[in-house]
Amino acid sequence: MQQALRPHPEAPIDDAVAAHVERALTDYLVTRHADMAEAAPSFGTAVASLAGFVLGGGKRLRPTFAWWGWRGAGGAGAGVDARAVLRGVSALELIQACALVHDDLMDASAMRRGKPTVHMDFAARHREAGWLGEPDRFGAATAILLGDLALAWADDMFATSGLDAGRLAAALPPWQAMRAEMLAGQYLDVLTQARGDESEATALSVARMKTAAYTVERPLHLGAALAGAPAPTVAALRAFGADIGLAFQLRDDLLGMYGDTEVTGKPAGDDLREGKRTLLMALGMAMAGDRAAVLRAALGADDLSPTTLADVRGILVEVGAVAEVERRIDALTATALAALDRADLAGPADRVLAELAVAAGRRTS
């Protein structure tokens, strides 16, 4: 497994949250991998691949939002071991790993972070080894199992973080809700594709459930719960998180259509090939008139050509769909920042969360 960025153990967590999360994940995964490799060496190889996936990239946004939710709600003055909190919120990255591994399989995606997705990697290993059966089926089965393992280990890492029983109990409602909402959002995504639902309302519902809730809203809720925050603070943080999470997803939709593959790590137009009914496409089909047929024909097209992709991109710009998504990102950022003001957080969390909010809507990867 690759080595994580390892800050000095005594370095303030506030100064390098992502690096401390990386260290906590590495320490946890090294131990779990050693246990599995000893018990079942063949599975240990697969577990090493999962560990490499978890440690192989990512912005560590979910633990970062959870950490600053805890800090902002006064957690640092509540007599709680900050390192235990850090270990607990780092487990969110394992939930994220589960979501990505399964999502890539469901979407038949070939690349993630510039590398083959887990199911594609293990299908290739099967072919190279000349094993019996179908390589793609083996790759899919392995991805399902490793995604499940990541979700199970998220629970384990959180439960063994060192937080006392009272803190764990307080955090249980947002933790449970987050897991269920993530899975519900995944189902809504595939259901929307199957039904061919083009409505704006459905696109927003999928984005809120699949991404906004478990990327920003629930991590903030989790951090606030660990800090013992009062209900008004929790409500304000959740309102902030819901809008920033949605803005994050809308930017993701734009990057999926117009982003630089070298930066995003995924082929441009992947969402289009996968038939994703994003808000961008919903608005485009509603605004394009006769040209909406071009957009509909491109949705879910396995043989999507560069020419068709360029046509779709051009239409979405010309009819104003891209501009409307940009406007909504700005509006969501504004309402989120207003909610953040109502949360009345301790510094420097108020400033850091405001900066993260703006960055989420402007990111390029």
Side-chain angles (χ1 to χ4, degrees), residues 175-365:
W175 182 268
Q176 291 175 329
M178 177 175 50
R179 291 179 311 171
E181 288 162 356
M182 178 196 74
L183 297 171
Q186 294 278 28
Y187 176 72
L188 287 178
D189 189 19
V190 297
L191 180 64
T192 298
Q193 292 179 60
R195 288 177 170 173
D197 191 333
E198 298 178 2
S199 72
E200 175 184 331
T202 298
L204 285 170
S205 178
V206 171
R208 285 191 181 277
M209 186 70 76
K210 183 180 178 183
T211 302
Y214 100 98
T215 299
V216 188
E217 180 187 353
R218 291 301 186 184
L220 284 167
H221 186 184
L222 181 71
L226 287 171
T233 299
V234 172
L237 278 173
R238 288 189 62 188
F240 165 79
D243 283 354
I244 287 304
L246 184 54
F248 180 92
Q249 181 57 52
L250 297 187
R251 176 60 62 195
D252 203 57
D253 295 342
L254 288 171
L255 290 173
M257 187 66 71
Y258 298 98
D260 183 347
T261 300
E262 293 297 318
V263 177
T264 65
K266 294 192 72 175
D270 241 20
D271 286 350
L272 195 60
R273 292 183 187 88
E274 293 161 7
K276 299 284 186 183
R277 264 68 178 175
T278 63
L279 179 66
L280 175 64
M281 288 301 293
L283 291 170
M285 289 184 286
M287 301 166 77
D290 292 342
R291 288 186 290 175
V294 176
L295 303 183
R296 292 190 181 95
L299 267 173
D302 292 333
D303 57 348
L304 184 68
S305 68
T307 300
T308 300
L309 176 58
D311 288 344
V312 169
R313 285 170 160 172
I315 291 171
L316 293 173
V317 171
E318 291 164 16
V319 302
V322 171
E324 176 60 16
V325 172
E326 292 282 8
R327 186 194 70 78
R328 295 197 188 198
I329 291 172
D330 290 342
L332 286 163
T333 302
T335 55
L337 291 174
L340 187 62
D341 286 341
R342 297 195 301 272
D344 192 25
L345 301 180
D350 50 357
R351 172 184 58 79
V352 174
L353 286 173
E355 292 171 353
L356 287 170
V358 173
R362 294 179 179 173
R363 65 197 175 89
T364 58
S365 64

Side-chain angles (χ1 to χ4, degrees), residues 10-84:
E10 300 306 318
I13 296 172
D14 284 358
D15 294 344
V17 177
H20 281 281
V21 168
E22 200 82 3
R23 177 178 185 139
L25 287 168
T26 300
D27 291 345
Y28 183 79
L29 290 169
V30 164
T31 299
R32 297 308 300 264
H33 172 256
D35 291 342
M36 293 307 308
E38 181 178 354
S42 294
F43 191 46
T45 301
V47 170
S49 176
L50 173 63
F53 180 83
V54 173
L55 299 172
K59 304 172 185 66
R60 310 312 183 204
L61 280 177
R62 291 155 189 84
T64 298
F65 277 113
W67 173 261
W68 287 110
W70 177 74
R71 286 282 281 108
V80 180
D81 180 1
R83 300 284 164 174

Side-chain angles (χ1 to χ4, degrees), residues 92-140:
L92 292 169
E93 285 299 297
L94 292 169
I95 296 181
Q96 166 71 342
C98 167
L100 294 181
V101 170
H102 285 172
D103 196 48
D104 286 341
L105 174 60
M106 290 186 287
D107 292 340
S109 297
M111 301 292 292
R112 167 73 64 180
R113 298 169 180 164
K115 299 177 182 178
T117 51
V118 171
H119 66 280
M120 294 293 288
D121 176 28
F122 278 88
R125 296 186 193 199
H126 184 288
R127 289 189 189 92
E128 291 166 5
W131 293 335
L132 301 176
E134 300 176 11
D136 290 343
R137 188 177 179 87
F138 175 79

